[in-house]
Amino acid sequence: MAKSKKSQSVSVAAPQLISKRDASSRIVGVANTIHQDIVKKNARPRMRFPIRSLSNVKYDPKKGHFEILNKMSTRTLSYNTVKTFAQSMRLLATIKRDLLDKNNIAGKREVYYNSKSWGECRFDEQPESDSLLDDMEAMLAVNREQLGFIPEERGGEVTGPLVVIDRQPGSHEEIRINCEKLGTGAWSIPSQVEHLRFESKAKFILVIETASLFQRLVHHRYYETANCILISMSGVPTRACRRFIRRLTDDRKIPVLVFTDGDPYGYCNIYRTLKVGSGQAAHINQFFCVPQAHYLGVTPQDIKEFDLEDATHPLEELDIKRAKDALKNDPFIKHHKEWQAVLNQMIEMGVRIEQQAFAKHGLNFVFETYLPRKLKKGIFLP
Amino acid sequence: MTGNMANANKSTATAESLAKLQRDISVSEFFLKNRHLLGFDNPRKALLTAVKEAVDNSLDACDESGILPEISVDIRQTGDKRFCVAITDNGPGIVRNQVPKIFAKLLYGSKFHRLRMSRGQQGIGISAAGMYGQLTTGTSTVIQSKIKTSKKAHLIEVQIDTRANKPTILKDDELDWFPQFFPTDANGKPKQPITARHGTSVTIEMEAAYIRGKLSVDEYLKQCAIVNPHLQLHYRIRLSGPAPDEDSETSTRKAVPAKTAAGKGDATSAAPQATKSPPLPQPSDEVPWITFARAATTLPKQPTEIKPHPHGIELGILMQMLKDTQGKTLKSALVHDFSRVSDRAAVEIAQRAGLDPKSRPTHIAHRESEALFKAINETKLMRPPTDCLSPIGEEAIMAGLKKEIEADFYTAITRGPEVYRGNPFQIEAGLAYAKPGANADLNAEEPVRILRFANKVPLLYMGGACAINKAITGVNWKSYGLTHPRGSLPVGPMVILVHMASVWVPFTSESKEAIAHYPEIIRETTFALQECGRRLSVYLSRRRRQAEMERKKNYIELYLPHLALGLRQILDLDDRQEKTIISKLHRMLERTHLEE
Ligand SMILES: Nc1ncnc2c1ncn2[C@@H]1O[C@H](COP(=O)(O)OP(=O)(O)OP(=O)(O)O)[C@@H](O)[C@H]1O
Ligand SMILES: [Mg+2]
């Protein structure tokens, strides 16, 4: 296994912040094209979106993230699309007039409820409005936050030797949050992280998949023992969580290590998304990824080395499918032989392992033995 | 019965005493007791049957003489349960001498002894109606008739001597009379009366009941108009009170007590009792005539008469024919008395039967005729000629259906002639399908309505026993897009018309109500219905596509205004621009999507 190159250079650019007026004029641009199609060209109007899937991203190891390709899908007005088309226009009108022009914000769920005033055009379920919002975001090539949408998903708890400098809402008074002095709790990453500043002397950041393992490490003040910042993701990291880790590591030049369950989901969905972004929101991956991250465990090799065979679970069909899909379609996995080896080994062994499995050797084995040994060895997956 | 024979000699009959009771039973007596066989089993049906027998005869007479039929049916209530029925036609008329036998002798007619397609075939119909009138009211049948070649018309009143099956003439006058008809237009306004140069009018007074509905005289006449587009029919009914509505055959039966002459089958009961003959109904203005206008002025093809085909003959008839033949040899009898027997075929039959072709037909013994019968059926012969049939025709069926039934889709098919028991026959079928809910008479949730016809005569009663219903039930209507509960009639807003044309329609009884279940007839009917069904399913799927198109159009219309509103809000458009967007999009989507 390759030794990690810790000083990978990564662009530190903040998300391209376009003004509300620019966003508004992009909407007008889209609407204008549609209007012209109808009245001038006498053609059925169309909307074009970047395809939101792994098939439309490429992995550029130099840039360190999934980059969107220019495969587009076209939605032409027809019997089948007329409702979505109408909803798109009403949604764009709402975004422009009620959010951008009035400098207001709205949650995704509020968008859903707002549509209830649109008569037969209303969204029946929130997933409909969520997915259309994703479409509009991709079509306009802006981040939904810039359109005035506040993400409702939060995620990410932080504890350890880190001071976050934030501002009080309203008064904008600077406040310092010492993440080492939070008692038995932790600090939650807010949905907007662009304005945060950091102070830290930590040696590394340990990003953990499950909240329960995070709790254990906090309880035993592992952050002090190892001088590291602990961050819990609770599953696939949210945009805010990814952006926060990115800004922290860019700013303080602290390496990032990731510790997940040893299964295809942990590798390909959680870790991969954290490191290079997703196929779903590829147009913004550039900002919402952590190319500096490296993978600590749990690897299939760990199962053998730490004598955990009897603490595993057989791979389920979905796990195997996920692994095989990744080997075939995921540009990130396809780029890294090491990851291919890991997935193949896992398929061969036919088992997966959870982070908590180390409890087989005693409840504290994970931070008393496993983590120190891995860190000492210093070999991580890319 | 008592078991002791010795003690029974007083009350039991001896062969000698029985012999005194044993005598000829005249057909009249027989049918008097079994009048249900002739369709006079209840008062409501009696009214229909009387009208039907007279109208059938009028149509037959006109068709045979190449006259465009003009017929009037005038019904007048003369008592609580008494009706006087007068049917007048512009047919050729009947020569004076024939009148009594035609109207007062059962089994007397011109149609029984020939093989030619006609409505009547037995020679019973009209005399039976007269006999029923005589039996229930004591009145006589009044006939007025004028033929072309004589100046005067005849007025004759007859009754039937049931014991002798012979007419009794009560009046025999000459008079100046012409058949007259009183047409009205579609709004019931009287038009110029029509006077014919010849024709016949028959008047019968009888015990009867009038109830509207599917088994009524009205329905019969309506169906007559459907299958006889060349007929012009004038109808009125004058009631002394309001007519009850009733649609069910069974409940009618129940409602009417079986009051018959049973028990006093003695001929005297049917002998003249009332001396006062009913006044002939005079056209009056109180109740307007209804005219079923003529839809075609071409006469239907004249069917030709054929000789029997050997394959259809029964042994008894074969023996009778051998006895009656003019032929001197077996060979010539076979060739001349039957259709489709060539010289060669005749020789072949004779040889197969072990008979000399030159043997005298009258000398062929009982056993030999059996061998002959067998040989005939084993010999391959050409099928009978089919020009003896006069189908209604696809166009005329469609025209008739369109005229009388409001529907959305019509189709008709006339199958080629086929043969059952040696008798040529031909099946025709038609469909009229209404949009569900569009025709109040055709309920989408109820079984389809069936119009059955035999030789152009509507069959209203005994549908359940008819080969036509059996064929309809047997077709898989589900595959054509209808609801079809297993073993019953299909369900839907539809009329199915089936017509069987034949030189001899095999009815299940003399009342000519249901066609017997011959497999050949059921098979042909099934084929005709399946063809109609296939066309129906094409129509139904096209209609479904249209409904789908309509649905899509409505769906699109629901959302286009929202699309336009969104654009208006984003681009600050005005009313006119917004409307332009909607109308343009409308046209575009209609063009590209609705026709797919
Ligand atoms: N209106 C009429 N005009 C001319 N001839 C008639 C008329 N009505 C009856 N006839 C003649 O009288 C004959 C007897 O009629 P009838 O109804 O009794 O028997 P049918 O029509 O031959 O057979 P079916 O018993 O089947 O009706 C007919 O065959 C026909 O020749
Ligand atoms: Mg008759």
Side-chain angles (χ1 to χ4, degrees):
Chain A
M1 277 187 207
K3 173 120 182 141
S4 77
K5 297 169 220 121
K6 283 202 173 154
S7 56
Q8 195 173 23
S9 82
V10 169
S11 68
V12 197
Q16 167 204 12
L17 277 176
I18 67 159
S19 70
K20 303 219 172 218
R21 183 182 292 177
D22 287 345
S24 185
S25 66
R26 280 193 198 184
I27 291 177
V28 171
V30 167
N32 233 329
T33 315
I34 289 173
H35 189 220
Q36 295 305 309
D37 278 352
I38 299 168
V39 297
K40 289 262 159 63
K41 295 195 194 149
N42 253 320
R44 284 190 284 146
R46 310 192 267 175
M47 290 188 285
R48 281 162 65 78
F49 313 91
I51 289 177
R52 293 189 283 115
S53 88
L54 279 185
S55 68
N56 194 29
V57 294
K58 87 169 185 227
Y59 177 53
D60 182 343
K62 284 236 179 59
K63 289 187 174 145
H65 61 84
F66 274 172
E67 236 193 342
I68 190 155
L69 299 174
N70 45 14
K71 283 192 206 157
M72 303 290 267
S73 73
T74 305
R75 185 175 293 159
T76 309
L77 181 65
S78 71
Y79 165 74
N80 290 317
T81 61
V82 67
K83 183 176 182 185
T84 325
F85 229 97
Q87 286 175 326
S88 303
M89 292 309 117
R90 296 219 55 171
L91 184 59
L92 288 177
T94 306
I95 294 170
K96 180 181 178 301
R97 303 198 328 162
D98 295 344
L99 298 182
L100 298 173
D101 296 357
K102 293 205 180 105
N103 195 15
N104 204 345
I105 54 166
K108 278 179 161 186
R109 193 149 184 81
E110 288 173 315
V111 172
Y112 161 67
Y113 281 123
N114 184 249
S115 82
K116 295 295 183 193
S117 68
W118 299 352
E120 53 277 352
C121 213
R122 79 184 82 83
F123 297 111
D124 294 328
E125 306 283 347
Q126 198 192 329
E128 285 176 38
S129 62
D130 285 0
S131 127
L132 198 63
L133 212 52
D134 288 347
D135 285 347
M136 295 302 109
E137 188 186 9
M139 179 172 71
L140 299 168
V142 292
N143 185 357
R144 73 168 79 103
E145 283 80 3
Q146 293 165 354
L147 296 175
F149 290 109
I150 31 172
E152 265 127 34
E153 82 237 6
R154 13 180 77 254
E157 311 257 276
V158 185
T159 303
L162 166 70
V163 173
V164 179
I165 301 159
D166 198 354
R167 288 171 192 282
Q168 284 292 90
S171 70
H172 298 290
E173 180 198 339
E174 235 182 51
I175 64 152
R176 297 164 58 83
I177 302 143
N178 185 346
C179 296
E180 220 171 350
K181 299 266 186 305
L182 298 168
T184 51
W187 181 70
S188 302
I189 299 170
S191 57
Q192 294 277 10
V193 300
E194 230 49 65
H195 60 287
L196 301 177
R197 287 185 291 120
F198 311 103
E199 285 171 12
S200 179
K201 294 228 164 59
K203 281 213 316 232
F204 65 99
I205 301 167
L206 185 64
V207 185
I208 300 153
E209 174 181 345
T210 60
S212 71
L213 190 70
F214 175 77
Q215 289 298 326
R216 171 160 298 282
L217 297 185
V218 171
H219 185 78
H220 294 280
R221 308 218 296 206
Y222 179 71
Y223 53 85
E224 274 177 14
T225 333
N227 188 21
C228 68
I229 300 167
L230 297 176
I231 299 178
S232 126
M233 298 182 287
S234 311
V236 178
T238 61
R239 289 187 189 185
C241 182
R242 273 138 69 190
R243 185 65 190 150
F244 174 81
I245 299 170
R246 169 69 175 280
R247 291 213 52 237
L248 179 56
T249 177
D250 277 359
D251 193 45
R252 298 285 98 204
K253 304 277 185 281
I254 312 175
V256 178
L257 292 174
V258 182
F259 182 20
T260 70
D261 284 342
D263 57 27
Y265 190 73
Y267 304 154
C268 306
N269 294 58
I270 297 175
Y271 173 67
R272 200 276 333 276
T273 303
L274 178 69
K275 182 166 168 115
V276 298
S278 70
Q280 273 292 313
H283 61 292
I284 48 163
N285 279 341
Q286 190 185 352
F287 314 110
F288 298 92
C289 64
V290 186
Q292 301 93 327
H294 283 83
Y295 190 77
L296 175 138
V298 186
T299 65
Q301 196 58 32
D302 291 341
I303 298 174
K304 291 184 173 159
E305 277 172 28
F306 291 89
D307 186 25
L308 291 167
E309 276 96 340
D310 47 0
T312 59
H313 298 275
L315 284 182
E316 286 178 19
E317 228 164 274
L318 185 66
D319 295 315
I320 297 168
K321 184 182 175 303
R322 196 170 263 139
K324 289 190 169 159
D325 268 4
L327 285 165
K328 210 170 133 219
N329 300 320
D330 190 323
F332 174 75
I333 303 290
K334 274 162 55 180
H335 180 79
H336 289 292
K337 291 223 166 48
E338 295 95 321
W339 274 114
Q340 291 159 28
V342 165
L343 287 173
N344 283 324
Q345 188 183 7
M346 172 157 280
I347 293 170
E348 197 178 301
M349 288 167 66
V351 292
R352 62 184 175 86
I353 184 149
E354 291 175 4
Q355 291 185 299
Q356 286 92 330
F358 297 103
K360 174 196 168 191
H361 301 302
L363 293 174
N364 298 344
F365 180 85
V366 63
F367 62 85
E368 281 171 355
T369 313
Y370 176 72
L371 287 173
R373 258 213 251 166
K374 290 287 280 194
L375 290 166
K376 186 149 172 260
K377 210 169 176 185
I379 298 174
F380 306 111
L381 283 161
Chain B
M1 278 264 137
T2 135
N4 193 332
M5 295 285 285
N7 293 346
N9 53 4
K10 262 214 167 135
S11 53
T12 39
T14 60
E16 290 78 11
S17 74
L18 281 174
K20 285 183 196 148
L21 298 171
Q22 287 161 345
R23 57 178 173 88
D24 266 345
I25 304 163
S26 103
V27 274
S28 323
E29 282 181 300
F30 175 78
F31 282 119
L32 199 57
K33 281 193 170 175
N34 293 292
R35 48 177 146 161
H36 61 276
L37 293 178
L38 301 176
F40 292 97
D41 35 347
N42 71 58
R44 181 189 189 190
K45 197 166 159 190
L47 186 70
L48 169 68
T49 305
V51 169
K52 179 175 140 114
E53 292 302 342
V55 171
D56 288 356
N57 283 352
S58 295
L59 281 168
D60 270 347
C62 288
D63 281 1
E64 269 183 57
S65 337
I67 298 166
L68 269 179
E70 195 88 41
I71 298 174
S72 75
V73 175
D74 193 4
I75 302 175
R76 188 166 48 93
Q77 189 164 16
T78 53
D80 184 25
K81 279 192 185 158
R82 247 169 112 140
F83 285 79
C84 184
V85 173
I87 288 88
T88 309
D89 65 51
N90 67 340
I94 304 168
V95 293
R96 201 217 135 263
N97 288 347
Q98 291 296 330
V99 171
K101 281 182 182 160
I102 284 176
F103 292 93
K105 178 175 170 59
L106 293 186
L107 293 176
Y108 188 88
S110 55
K111 306 166 195 169
F112 182 82
H113 300 281
R114 61 180 194 199
L115 281 177
R116 181 178 190 273
M117 175 182 161
S118 57
R119 292 171 181 82
Q121 54 191 28
Q122 302 164 143
I124 297 177
I126 196 63
S127 327
M131 185 173 80
Y132 174 81
Q134 174 184 342
L135 170 72
T136 52
T137 66
T139 57
S140 15
T141 305
V142 181
I143 301 101
Q144 283 170 293
S145 191
K146 182 182 175 306
I147 59 175
K148 210 161 144 191
T149 46
S150 77
K151 265 203 165 145
K152 291 270 179 185
H154 293 276
L155 187 148
I156 298 169
E157 284 187 33
V158 286
Q159 292 208 342
I160 186 166
D161 173 347
T162 48
R163 181 169 291 169
N165 185 24
K166 257 174 37 193
T168 310
I169 302 170
L170 298 153
K171 194 182 213 172
D172 184 354
D173 288 346
E174 276 198 345
L175 79 168
D176 290 316
W177 176 82
F178 291 102
Q180 267 210 311
F181 305 94
F182 301 89
T184 53
D185 66 13
N187 303 317
K189 250 185 66 194
K191 299 206 285 192
Q192 189 67 30
I194 300 168
T195 305
R197 312 255 13 110
H198 43 75
T200 306
S201 152
V202 52
T203 306
I204 299 168
E205 188 165 15
M206 55 165 61
E207 185 184 298
Y210 174 77
I211 303 164
R212 280 186 223 288
K214 293 283 174 272
L215 302 171
S216 64
V217 171
D218 311 45
E219 179 68 20
Y220 166 79
L221 295 178
K222 181 176 162 180
Q223 293 192 22
C224 257
I226 291 177
V227 289
N228 296 289
H230 64 303
L231 160 68
Q232 180 140 293
L233 187 70
H234 313 281
Y235 167 54
R236 72 170 171 181
I237 179 159
R238 288 172 287 175
L239 299 168
S240 46
D245 261 304
E246 173 66 275
D247 256 336
S248 152
E249 185 171 349
T250 45
S251 60
T252 316
R253 282 222 176 102
K254 238 185 286 149
V256 175
K259 179 189 173 260
T260 66
K264 25 177 199 162
D266 193 285
T268 48
S269 71
Q273 282 169 354
T275 39
K276 186 173 64 102
S277 57
L280 292 177
Q282 291 305 305
S284 101
D285 290 335
E286 332 138 32
V287 175
W289 290 87
I290 299 163
T291 296
F292 295 84
R294 179 174 288 128
T297 50
T298 44
L299 281 163
K301 189 189 102 183
Q302 278 267 23
T304 53
E305 194 176 331
I306 59 163
K307 291 175 212 154
H309 190 274
H311 282 173
I313 217 85
E314 269 134 19
L315 178 58
I317 296 181
L318 174 66
M319 289 164 71
Q320 188 64 48
M321 286 177 74
L322 290 174
K323 242 189 247 156
D324 295 348
T325 183
Q326 309 282 317
K328 296 271 177 297
T329 63
L330 173 61
K331 185 178 146 193
S332 79
L334 286 173
V335 171
H336 292 111
D337 291 5
F338 290 97
S339 65
R340 299 308 201 205
V341 182
S342 63
D343 285 4
R344 246 189 59 214
V347 173
E348 192 186 330
I349 291 171
Q351 279 167 354
R352 187 165 283 159
L355 291 167
D356 183 353
K358 292 204 189 72
S359 58
R360 295 200 103 216
T362 41
H363 288 173
I364 288 174
H366 180 78
R367 182 162 320 158
E368 288 166 337
S369 62
E370 247 174 74
L372 183 65
F373 181 73
K374 211 168 145 250
I376 285 174
N377 282 305
E378 283 166 1
T379 307
K380 255 193 127 166
L381 296 170
M382 265 175 80
R383 319 201 106 202
T386 51
D387 50 0
C388 51
L389 300 175
S390 169
I392 305 165
E394 293 174 2
E395 260 171 58
I397 292 178
M398 298 264 282
L401 285 173
K402 280 181 185 159
K403 188 159 67 102
E404 299 298 332
I405 289 154
E406 191 192 321
D408 228 36
F409 167 76
Y410 302 87
T411 189
I413 176 164
T414 299
R415 300 266 315 162
E418 280 292 329
V419 176
Y420 82 93
R421 232 185 59 197
N423 295 313
F425 76 100
Q426 204 165 1
I427 296 291
E428 300 178 276
L431 288 188
Y433 185 96
K435 269 204 198 100
N439 183 337
D441 289 344
L442 300 176
N443 190 325
E445 314 300 329
E446 280 172 19
V448 298
R449 251 180 74 200
I450 296 167
L451 307 182
R452 296 176 293 131
F453 298 90
N455 285 355
K456 304 185 185 173
V457 177
L459 310 177
L460 298 192
Y461 279 86
M462 306 249 298
C466 187
I468 290 174
N469 282 45
K470 186 165 165 72
I472 292 174
T473 309
V475 166
N476 179 8
W477 293 98
K478 270 194 189 136
S479 66
Y480 307 126
L482 288 186
T483 316
H484 189 182
R486 240 190 128 74
S488 34
L489 294 173
V491 170
M494 187 166 86
V495 172
I496 299 179
L497 178 155
V498 176
H499 175 224
M500 173 178 180
S502 181
V503 294
W504 186 265
V505 179
F507 287 111
T508 56
S509 89
E510 288 76 2
S511 59
K512 301 187 282 188
E513 289 163 335
I515 299 172
H517 288 199
Y518 279 92
E520 297 90 339
I521 297 173
I522 292 176
R523 190 181 335 112
E524 270 302 299
T525 309
T526 303
F527 289 157
L529 292 169
Q530 284 171 337
E531 179 57 31
C532 288
R534 277 189 286 277
R535 296 178 193 170
L536 173 72
S537 87
V538 170
Y539 157 80
L540 285 179
S541 62
R542 196 179 58 223
R543 213 181 51 127
R544 229 173 284 124
R545 269 202 311 281
Q546 268 165 0
E548 173 72 7
M549 251 166 73
E550 189 64 18
R551 199 183 57 72
K552 280 190 170 184
K553 198 175 148 193
N554 291 339
Y555 180 79
I556 287 170
E557 264 164 20
L558 207 55
Y559 293 110
L560 287 186
H562 286 280
L563 202 165
L565 177 64
L567 286 177
R568 177 188 180 149
Q569 290 177 342
I570 297 168
L571 300 174
D572 283 325
L573 306 177
D574 58 26
D575 265 0
R576 194 185 46 79
Q577 287 172 302
E578 187 182 352
K579 286 212 181 79
T580 311
I581 294 174
I582 297 179
S583 67
K584 286 216 167 199
L585 285 178
H586 217 280
R587 253 171 284 143
M588 270 179 236
L589 289 188
E590 195 142 48
R591 211 174 45 232
T592 53
H593 279 267
L594 294 180
E595 290 130 30
E596 270 164 22

